Every structure is written in structure tokens, then in C-alpha cells.
Amino acid sequence: MQGDLVISADFGTSGVKVGVVDGDLNVVARATAQYPLNLAPGGIAEQTPDDWWGGLTRALSDLRTQVPDLRDRAAVLVFSAQICGLICADENGTALRPCMTWLDKRAGSLAQAFIGGFPQVHGYQLTKLARWLRYANGAPAKNGMDATAKILWMQRHEPEIMTRTRWLIDAKDWLVHRATGVMTTSPESANLTWMMDSRRGREGWSQHLAGMLNVSLEKLAPITTADTVVETLTPQAAAELGLDPAVRVLAGTSDVTAGALGSGEVEDGALHISLATSAWIAGFFPDRRLNVPASYATVTSGLDMRPLLIASQENAGSALDWAARITGTTDGHALDAIGSPQPDDPFFLPWLAGEKVPTDNDALRGTFFDLSLHHDADALRRAAVEGVALNLKWAMSKVSREKGLRTNGAITLIGGMAANPRVAQTLADALNRDIRVGEARHAGMLGTATLAASVMGWATSPAVAAARLRSRTTAHFTPDPARVQALEDRSVRLGKLRKHALRSYS
């Protein structure tokens, strides 16, 4: 194969991180390109797919400056991307409207009506729930975040677009098609449409489940594992990206699987935490797991269809950015000098965009408790950091009951917010667990690159390559006993306040 380098592109909500990675999983060069997110009243959160491609071309232009012989040395291009989006594309793969991203919650009421009925449990009609649980190991979210609700919204509000739609796809699917002309989808995206049979050995689209949504299987792309070579670049894509047309493009994966690989935690039962715009607790397991009351489950990952537990929370870095903004700063170091925690600091529930785990309710909203006249901007920012950490502690209290979970040793922390020492230390204190920060800001990009390991001859599998990243520690945080006890006491108090808040939205 021509070339010794892999180009890895990790498409997030606000931008794409692109890295040039070598056989030792070192990032030779990297670039970031931002793109807009259209937020509007009513839960709208959309992006234009062409903006993703534009971000990729800009980043590669930067990388070709850093690595002048990149065109000759790049052998593989692989993507990871945000999931739970919906793109309606025509037969040429052209998006017929903006992508409804994972953050788009306008279809929450439609989702609740669709899953509801009599008799019901936890808001789900029993017969429907039993069907979803049997085949898909889960059920559509109540908050409208997954593709199920978005398809319902399109069927009701934009039927003319649905009539013209040839493909119902996710973000990465569109990108792979834009690069190769071949339409595929990842197991994670497919699973979270709740139209996929995820039973071991039977993974594939289910006519039975698709019929519940009145969706034809012909509109659903072939489910393809992450390290599969899809095709080489089309001449047009190669010209736009400044790469050789012989570059191979892999099927790629979701941001959650990329993060799991990038964390190095690839053994069954080993958890990691991602802290970025949103947050999740995740880890591979040998079999499917499900917790309906706490709204989390395993999904079928693109890594050999291995079950990957994902307990996601809607608000993390977004809540901290909001707290900084409303207290008068957009400085990226706003959390670095906010003073020591005080016993009478306010409490904060960071549900600014609803919540998913361990309660699935898009109507929940954030709030401060116990505000006093003497509280200043620093107190609010401290409360925000603590609130995000204690929200994760709340989710972890449910996940930690899973059988086969590894409870010893440090938990690996990845994601943009993991690089902030204040946030990482607060999380260590809240969980009373050592925190190991890995390749914080580049875990997704490096995890994505491991998918090319077997194609490039770097390792026998992506998992073997990813395990090497476990040894890369950029920082280590040990719980402070005094803060552990103080946060436990505050967690008890916040738990009571949380119950009152939850009742007001029930």
C-alpha cells in the first residue's frame, strides 16, 4: 500500500479535529476547523452537511502545509462523528435539508406519543417496549434526541422531503458517501434508530421494527463495521481534499466508539468517562446490558459488533460554557481562578438541555439553589463545575451496579473538558476515585486512527492498537479526602433538591 500515514477526522458538534497519525499512534500534525450550529427556539439544532466537508477541506489544507508530502504519504482516511442525527438524502447522497443533530429536541412530544399507550411502564406501552427490548436492547428516547423521533417529525411536518428521500442516514454516513460515493451506516447509528436487530449473530435491519415507523428498508444504508475498507476516494473528493485518489476510506465509527478506543479502555467491564459538550460513561461488555429506569443500555458498536455501554448526559462542557458566558466571560480559562469551594456555595442542576441518564426527560431545565446576595460570579462558576461532577456521580451510582464492572484502579477521563485540572479534580473528589487523564482532547481522533491498524499493518486489530493508548497518561488526580466528604455531604443535600425538581417536571 502506498503511504505510511493515516488521516483521522473526528467530527464533533462544533468542529472537526483532523490528525495525521503514524504507526506508533503519534499525532504527526493536527488541525481544527469550526463550523456553525444553528440553534433556534423550539428545540431546533441543525447543521448543514456541506459545512462539515468544508471544515475537513480547510483542516487538510492546513495539514498539507505542516506535512508537505502528505499527498504521497497518506494511505487511509477514516472518520468518526456525532451520532443520533438525521439527514434526508436523495439518490445522489445530496442532503435535502439541514441535518437534525443529536441536540435537536423538537420532536420530543412526538416521541412520547409514539412510545406511549395503555398499559404502560416508565412511559412506554408494554407491547411496544417488549418488542424493542427483545430485538434492539432498548427503546426510543423520550426526549426526541434519536433518529426515531426525527423521522416522525419529518413524516408529519415535511412529508414532501420524505417523499424525495432515498436515504435516511447519520452524519458519518454522509461523509463517507461524500468521499467515496458508497452509502453505508455504522452499527451504532443503526442501533439507535431502533430499527436494528442487535441480537448477537443476528445484527441487521429488522423489517418488524422498521414497520413500526412505517420506514422502508430500502431507505436504510447497509450496516458496515468500522474497520471495513469501503472504497478509495472519488476523483472529485480527492481533488477537493488535496489527496491521492488511491487513498482508502474506511467505514468509520461513532464518536462514542472512537472515544472508547482512544481511552485505551478496551477490555470488557473497563469504564471511561468523556467530558466534552455532553458527557458519557461508557465501556465494552461481553453481552447486551439494559437499565430501562435509568435510561441506558449497550449499543452495538462498530468494533466487531461488540456491545458498548453508553450512559450519556446532555450537559457538561455546554453547561460550563454557559456559566462562564452568563457571568461575563468567554475566556477559555474562566474556570482556572475561581477560588476555593465554600461551604455555602450554591447548588446547580446542569439540565440546560433536558437530561438522558439516569432520567430521560427533555423538559428538565437547569437551576441554581440556595443563592444569596453575597454570591458572586466565581461562586456560580464553582457551582457549575460541582454540578456537572455531581450529575455524573448520579449517573455512576446506577452504572456501578452492573455485573462484571471493573471497580479497581483509576477511571480514564477523555474529552475537551478533561484537560481542565479543576474539572478533573472535582470529578475525582465527587466519585472518590482516581482519575487518569489520557489523550484528553485528541482521544477521539486517535481512537478513530486505530481503526486503520490492521489495514496499515500496525497491529492485528483496532483493539490491540488501542490498548497501547492505555499507557499514555497526561495527568493523574487523586481524591482529596476532605473534599470527598464535603462533596458527599453536598451530594446528599443536592439529591433532596433534585427530587423536588424532578417532581415539578413529572
Side-chain angles (χ1 to χ4, degrees), residues 206-260:
S206 166
Q207 178 70 64
H208 196 53
L209 296 180
M212 295 173 68
L213 267 176
N214 194 29
V215 170
S216 168
L217 292 184
E218 293 181 353
K219 293 190 175 185
L220 306 176
I223 300 170
T224 310
T225 50
D227 56 345
T228 302
V229 176
V230 173
E231 188 51 271
T232 55
L233 288 170
T234 66
Q236 179 181 347
E240 292 172 350
L241 299 178
L243 299 174
D244 192 298
V247 168
R248 300 185 187 188
V249 180
L250 303 188
T253 192
S254 64
D255 53 0
V256 287
T257 299

Side-chain angles (χ1 to χ4, degrees), residues 81 83 188 254-261 272 280 282 299 308 310:
I83 55 174
E188 300 95 330
S254 64
D255 53 0
V256 287
T257 299
L261 290 166
H272 70 276
W280 64 71
V299 299
L308 176 63
I310 306 171

Side-chain angles (χ1 to χ4, degrees), residues 107-166:
S109 59
L110 287 175
Q112 292 159 27
F114 177 64
I115 67 177
F118 180 83
Q120 68 174 240
V121 59
H122 298 299
Y124 292 87
Q125 200 276 333
L126 283 176
T127 302
K128 294 179 182 177
L129 181 61
R131 195 175 301 160
W132 280 315
L133 296 187
R134 178 187 178 192
Y135 292 105
N137 193 53
K142 300 172 189 174
N143 64 6
M145 74 170 289
D146 53 34
T148 307
K150 296 175 173 70
I151 290 170
L152 290 170
W153 192 93
M154 290 297 301
Q155 289 172 338
R156 173 171 294 190
H157 295 284
E158 297 186 11
E160 70 286 354
I161 295 291
M162 289 297 284
T163 299
R164 296 167 53 201
T165 295
R166 170 64 181 88

Side-chain angles (χ1 to χ4, degrees), residues 330-348:
T330 56
D331 180 4
H333 301 287
L335 302 178
D336 295 345
I338 55 178
S340 300
Q342 300 301 309
D344 69 341
D345 273 347
F347 294 89
F348 178 59

Side-chain angles (χ1 to χ4, degrees), residues 263-279:
S263 75
E265 303 290 3
V266 292
E267 298 296 325
D268 285 337
L271 296 181
H272 70 276
I273 295 173
S274 175
L275 268 178
T277 301
S278 58

Side-chain angles (χ1 to χ4, degrees), residues 66-79:
Q66 298 179 53
V67 186
D69 56 351
L70 182 61
R71 189 180 190 280
D72 297 326
R73 296 181 64 190
V76 171
L77 174 64
V78 59
F79 304 131

Side-chain angles (χ1 to χ4, degrees), residues 370-427:
D370 292 356
L371 285 172
S372 297
L373 289 172
H374 70 279
H375 286 138
D376 57 11
D378 285 347
L380 297 185
R381 293 174 196 153
R382 289 196 299 269
V385 172
E386 180 186 284
V388 169
L390 293 181
N391 208 47
L392 274 162
K393 176 183 174 69
W394 183 37
M396 185 65 83
S397 70
K398 311 297 182 183
V399 174
S400 62
R401 301 172 187 174
E402 289 294 331
K403 182 179 179 181
L405 192 69
R406 298 193 176 195
T407 57
N408 59 323
I411 294 180
T412 296
L413 186 64
I414 62 171
M417 294 308 302
N420 186 291
R422 165 83 65 163
V423 174
Q425 183 63 57
T426 304
L427 188 60

